[in-house]
Amino acid sequence: MQRIEFLNYPTGEHVSDLQWGFRIDGTDLRVYAAEATRDLWRAELADEGPAEVERFLLAQHGGLTVSEVGDAARHFLGDPAPEFIDRSTGTTPVLGCSCGLWNCWPLLTVITTAPETVTWSSFRQPFRKEWGELVMGPYVFARPAYEAALEQPVSLVADPLRTLGEAMP
């Protein structure tokens, strides 16, 4: 099973709202998304240098703001508010767009709960249906540890990719 950390950190220098982020086994979920989409973006990013491609891949997603998610326990246990559910695929957004509008470029996943586990699977990008299911996960978490991490998110003073010195714009 994987280990998840729920993170709360500021959305930007001048915005007071916090956003949700995640580390799975110590790695930011956006890093997994970058790896899963690298080859899918290759043709569109062919004229870019390696550093620009990496910045783009890592910055394609941002977190969901705490205020827009509302009831985090409900959302991250697979029962989001109606405006978040994609009924055609049964998916829920776990990341939004880096522009600040979650539904501009969300990362969607199926969140399945069982008495002992929570699973994130079937990751997809709804605006690139031709990509199909992304090569990510499934990530299976022990439910008691998952719920404990969700109840006490790690508070950070800045975006964790920036504080780790990873390439971000």
Side-chain angles (χ1 to χ4, degrees):
M1 282 196 209
Q2 282 78 39
R3 181 179 52 84
I4 191 166
E5 292 174 271
F6 288 86
L7 312 171
N8 286 158
Y9 55 92
T11 57
E13 294 176 22
H14 305 291
V15 181
S16 61
D17 203 357
L18 297 176
Q19 59 185 332
W20 287 100
F22 316 93
R23 287 188 194 125
I24 297 174
D25 294 337
T27 299
D28 194 292
L29 182 61
R30 293 171 294 174
V31 172
Y32 290 119
E35 287 300 315
T37 59
R38 182 178 315 283
D39 287 341
L40 300 168
W41 282 112
R42 191 170 308 280
E44 291 176 67
L45 300 176
D47 294 336
E48 302 294 329
E52 290 81 14
V53 169
E54 285 309 303
R55 274 193 295 279
F56 172 81
L57 290 171
L58 289 171
Q60 68 181 310
H61 292 292
L64 301 173
T65 63
V66 169
S67 63
E68 68 191 352
V69 167
D71 186 346
R74 185 175 159 199
H75 185 95
F76 295 117
L77 286 169
D79 184 25
E83 64 269 22
F84 286 109
I85 191 84
D86 180 339
R87 299 210 185 281
S88 67
T89 59
T91 53
T92 299
V94 289
L95 292 175
C97 184
S98 59
C99 78
L101 300 173
W102 77 266
N103 55 354
C104 178
W105 189 254
L107 179 65
L108 305 176
T109 189
V110 173
I111 300 174
T112 307
T113 58
E116 297 300 319
T117 60
V118 177
T119 303
W120 289 11
S121 62
S122 302
F123 288 87
R124 54 187 69 249
Q125 204 325 303
F127 300 116
R128 295 293 174 102
K129 294 192 186 311
E130 68 275 13
W131 287 2
E133 188 174 318
L134 298 175
V135 182
M136 289 178 68
Y139 305 114
V140 182
F141 312 103
R143 187 166 179 166
Y146 182 98
E147 289 180 349
L150 179 55
E151 287 175 16
Q152 295 190 327
V154 176
S155 294
L156 302 174
V157 297
D159 183 320
L161 291 184
R162 283 189 200 279
T163 60
L164 289 174
E166 295 181 40
M168 290 288 285

